Every structure is written in structure tokens, then in C-alpha cells.
Amino acid sequence: MIRPIQQSQLFGLGILLPLVTQSPDTSFFPYQFIWPLFAAINIFNLIYMGARVAAIVRENPELEGDSRVFLKWLFIFAVLPFLLLYLFQILGGFHNSLYVFSNDYHNPYIVLGWVVFILLNLGILYSILWGGGASMLIKFRKAFRSMPESEMQIKVMTVFNCLVGAVALFSMIATNTFGKLHG
């Protein structure tokens, strides 16, 4: 079990490390379009999830109303933030999607980018912990490959993931990741 995980980590590192270490000015990768690319990938994931949820609804027709709510919230949490980040990138005149990891506190578009990440984390936390999101995920558990079996496991994983995401965002902003790559 450990060997496949290590191989997948090395594979991921082989793809991501050159993107992070290479200067975006000389890179083949379109740094300007990272946010729309992520939004497009998540739209395809949403279409795929819609098909899987439809199969669950065929088995349990009483879940039809819940499925619409579920897919709406998946769109809000998985696609909308990337579209907002791209909008702020365009409005701010940035040619690179990593603008959001700058520590320029005086630029409103950078601060709005931070707000998108912070509100996304808070929205996910609220919806899973207190808004019934964990129970909704349990209802559509078959649509996910490795979904935990209990609401408590989902809640603990969500808190942990949001905490790690918040620390990573703060670290990248505090160390001015964008400025180091483009300074």
C-alpha cells in the first residue's frame, strides 16, 4: 500500500515541482489561466457527479429535491471561487494567477482574493458542521469513491483540511510567494 502512494506522490511532484520552481515568464504553462482551468475541471467534475447523483436518485426518488440542492452547493463551493479569483485577476490587471499569494495589503484585488479563500473555508466549515452538509454527503455517499461512513468522520476531516488550507494560505501570503517568484 505504501509503495503505490509513494509512486503517486513522486508522479505528482514530477508534474507540480517544475511549475512551481520555473519562472512563469519562461514557462510553457499558461499561468494567466490557472483559475479558469480549475473552474473548467470542476465543471466537468460537477457533470460527472450529476450523473452519479442521478443514478442514486433513480434508486431513491425521494432524494430528488436534495440532489438539486447538493449539486447547487457543489457548484458554489467548487466552481464559483475560481471564477471570482479570475475576475479579480482581470480587474486587478494581473498577468499571473498567483497574484493572490502576494502580501500587497494595499491592493484591493489581492485582498478580495484572500477574502474568497477565507469565505470558502468558512462556508465549507459552516455547511458541514452546522448546515447539514455532512448528512447530505452521507445521503449521496455512493457518488464518491472514498467517502467516510459517518458524519463525525466527515466533520473531523473537514475541520482538519480547512485548518491546513488556512495555514498554507497564510504561510504563502506571509512569505510573499508571488513576490519571490516574480521579484
Side-chain angles (χ1 to χ4, degrees):
M1 180 67 176
I2 301 233
R3 186 152 179 85
I5 291 172
Q6 289 173 339
Q7 288 174 343
S8 67
Q9 289 172 342
L10 287 175
F11 177 73
L13 188 62
I15 291 173
L16 296 176
L17 191 60
L19 296 177
V20 173
T21 58
Q22 187 175 16
S23 171
D25 299 331
T26 62
S27 174
F28 67 95
F29 192 77
Y31 281 89
Q32 184 174 2
F33 302 108
I34 288 176
W35 303 130
L37 176 68
F38 287 171
I41 289 169
N42 282 335
I43 287 173
F44 286 123
N45 283 335
L46 192 62
I47 292 168
Y48 176 70
M49 288 302 292
R52 293 187 69 139
V53 166
I56 294 170
V57 169
R58 279 193 295 277
E59 292 174 8
N60 304 313
E62 67 275 1
L63 293 176
E64 185 175 348
D66 288 341
S67 70
R68 283 191 292 263
V69 171
F70 180 68
L71 292 173
K72 176 184 76 169
W73 283 106
L74 277 179
F75 175 81
I76 289 171
F77 287 133
V79 177
L80 192 59
F82 296 119
L83 296 176
L84 286 172
L85 288 169
Y86 187 60
L87 175 69
F88 297 147
Q89 176 186 340
I90 299 234
L91 292 175
F94 298 105
H95 298 292
N96 190 306
S97 295
L98 303 178
Y99 74 94
V100 76
F101 303 121
S102 171
N103 62 3
D104 182 4
Y105 305 104
H106 302 292
N107 190 321
Y109 297 106
I110 291 174
V111 174
L112 285 172
W114 300 343
V115 168
V116 167
F117 282 117
I118 292 166
L119 289 179
L120 178 64
N121 262 355
L122 292 175
I124 289 172
L125 277 174
Y126 178 80
S127 67
I128 294 295
L129 297 178
W130 301 289
S135 63
M136 184 75 74
L137 286 172
I138 293 295
K139 287 179 187 177
F140 296 104
R141 189 171 135 348
K142 292 179 185 175
F144 298 94
R145 291 198 175 144
S146 59
M147 178 64 63
E149 295 183 16
S150 76
E151 286 185 34
M152 184 54 73
Q153 288 175 328
I154 292 172
K155 290 178 180 183
V156 168
M157 280 182 34
T158 301
V159 169
F160 177 74
N161 289 333
C162 286
L163 182 63
V164 168
V167 168
L169 177 65
F170 174 76
S171 298
M172 292 193 322
I173 291 169
T175 59
N176 195 14
T177 303
F178 179 77
K180 287 181 180 176
L181 288 175
H182 307 289

